Amino acid sequence: MPSGGYLWWYIDALSDDGQHGLSIIAFVGSVFSPYYAWARRRGNHTNPDNFCALNVALYSRQARRWSMTERGAAHNHRDRTRFVIGPSQLHWNGQSLCIEIDEVGVPLPRRIRGTVNLHPQQLFHFSTPLDAAGRHRWGPLAPRSRVEVDLRHPAQRWHGHAYLDSNEGDEPIERAFTEWDWSRSAMKDGSTAVIYDVEPGRANGRLLALRFGRHGSVVPFEAPPRCELPRTAWRLARRMGSEGPVQVVQQLEDTPFYQRAMLCSRLMGEPVTSFHETLHVPRLVSPVVQAMLPWRMPRRG
């Protein structure tokens, strides 16, 4: 990976009974890292492997947890099948992805410990540029998966459906983007519909609307009109393509520069429940936000 670049793997999941949810993001060259940004500004060595983190967020009425401890290169290791980040790791065994979590939450130091096993029902080798120069790319790896969650802290055991994708870039994210909205929706036929709205409403924007089929097909579809959603508590603007009204079912994350929510809307004639997120890059790189981030993203090593 080039200096200043990044790579991440993203997972979201919802239990079959709808009572539990999670998101996990494994970062190399964390785009949210203030330490990585400060090192780039100073012209210091900016090997992405020196800025790795495992972000874990748990969503349930009984227990909400959030952790994102960044670790230096001495505490990380990557090869073809394994990514070790401090005491946690991800391991691909050829059939499924096993995530062994051993993290401490912030701002309250509560333990998150246990395993998450993701079983893809179809693997994809699809990747597409998000910018005109092709320096930033995205692709789903397993948009339709099953998940087994077995946590000791907090005590949770559940099964559900999940999604796995990846983003990578050859330069810092702020060089190419201002904002984007992204959503993924599970369709009745078992396919997954993704809308990636990059630079929404701008001349240099790119709108991806792709349906990933159960047996490996990738089919574009016409994205429905953008619907403006209520601004978040941090006054972050957000949009969702929908054929009808959009309901915010649950606000999962709400920060000055990023939000994640569960939405109900209509897509391709169906009612759908979607994971939706918005990233606003100028807020992320603002000096005020960068000074706040270490409280939520401590660094070790």
Side-chain angles (χ1 to χ4, degrees):
M1 291 177 60
S3 175
Y6 64 87
L7 170 63
W8 79 70
W9 294 269
Y10 166 89
I11 296 166
D12 64 43
L14 187 67
S15 64
D16 290 328
D17 63 7
Q19 299 301 304
H20 302 279
L22 64 77
S23 69
I24 299 172
I25 312 176
F27 289 97
V28 182
S30 172
V31 296
F32 296 152
S33 168
Y35 315 100
Y36 196 20
W38 295 334
R40 293 196 302 269
R41 292 189 190 111
R42 292 192 301 264
N44 290 353
H45 180 57
T46 52
N47 176 6
D49 284 291
N50 196 40
F51 304 91
C52 297
L54 185 69
N55 175 219
V56 181
L58 305 178
Y59 312 113
S60 70
R61 290 189 178 91
Q62 295 79 14
R64 290 179 68 96
R65 298 283 194 277
W66 197 94
S67 69
M68 189 171 173
T69 299
E70 183 175 305
R71 301 182 190 277
H75 304 282
N76 306 317
H77 171 74
R78 285 193 299 138
D79 58 32
R80 288 175 57 86
T81 61
R82 194 178 302 272
F83 182 18
V84 178
I85 310 171
S88 300
Q89 63 174 302
L90 298 86
H91 175 232
W92 173 252
N93 64 15
Q95 301 294 326
S96 60
L97 179 65
C98 178
I99 306 167
E100 300 176 14
I101 303 168
D102 188 358
E103 300 289 331
V104 177
V106 290
L108 298 177
R110 296 178 294 186
R111 181 71 61 180
I112 306 175
R113 180 179 289 163
T115 60
V116 174
N117 284 285
L118 183 137
H119 306 280
Q121 296 184 306
Q122 176 66 50
L123 289 172
F124 284 76
H125 298 282
F126 175 88
S127 179
T128 185
L130 295 176
D131 65 314
R135 297 181 63 80
H136 303 262
R137 300 163 296 279
W138 161 83
L141 302 173
R144 184 172 183 264
S145 303
R146 293 294 296 170
V147 70
E148 299 173 276
V149 177
D150 186 0
L151 300 180
R152 299 185 296 280
H153 303 285
Q156 289 185 16
R157 296 190 69 181
W158 51 271
H159 296 73
H161 58 87
Y163 168 95
L164 168 65
D165 74 7
S166 180
N167 284 62
E168 62 179 339
D170 302 329
E171 63 183 6
I173 201 167
E174 62 267 24
R175 293 187 184 173
F177 305 114
T178 301
E179 61 182 329
W180 68 52
D181 290 280
W182 171 93
S183 65
R184 71 96 172 169
S185 308
M187 308 303 293
K188 288 181 180 178
D189 66 354
S191 64
T192 299
V194 176
I195 300 177
Y196 216 135
D197 197 354
V198 182
E199 304 297 320
R202 295 182 176 86
N204 64 332
R206 185 169 191 204
L207 178 60
L208 298 172
L210 299 168
R211 191 167 185 169
F212 298 90
R214 294 178 59 188
H215 304 295
S217 62
V218 182
V219 180
F221 65 91
E222 185 175 352
R226 294 184 184 97
C227 296
E228 294 291 331
L229 304 180
R231 288 179 178 258
T232 65
W234 283 97
R235 306 301 298 162
L236 190 65
R238 49 185 173 165
R239 299 139 295 263
M240 172 69 174
S242 177
E243 295 164 358
V246 181
Q247 178 187 3
V248 180
V249 177
Q250 186 176 3
Q251 190 66 50
L252 303 175
E253 301 290 345
D254 188 356
T255 79
F257 61 89
Y258 176 84
Q259 72 85 35
R260 180 184 297 130
M262 294 289 297
L263 306 180
C264 282
S265 63
R266 289 192 65 84
L267 188 61
M268 290 181 278
E270 297 180 19
V272 294
T273 299
S274 309
F275 276 84
H276 176 270
E277 63 181 25
T278 304
L279 175 66
H280 192 277
V281 180
R283 286 195 182 187
L284 166 64
V285 299
S286 72
V288 173
V289 170
Q290 291 284 299
M292 294 166 56
L293 287 177
W295 295 97
R296 293 285 279 172
M297 304 174 190
R299 179 176 169 87
R300 301 286 183 267

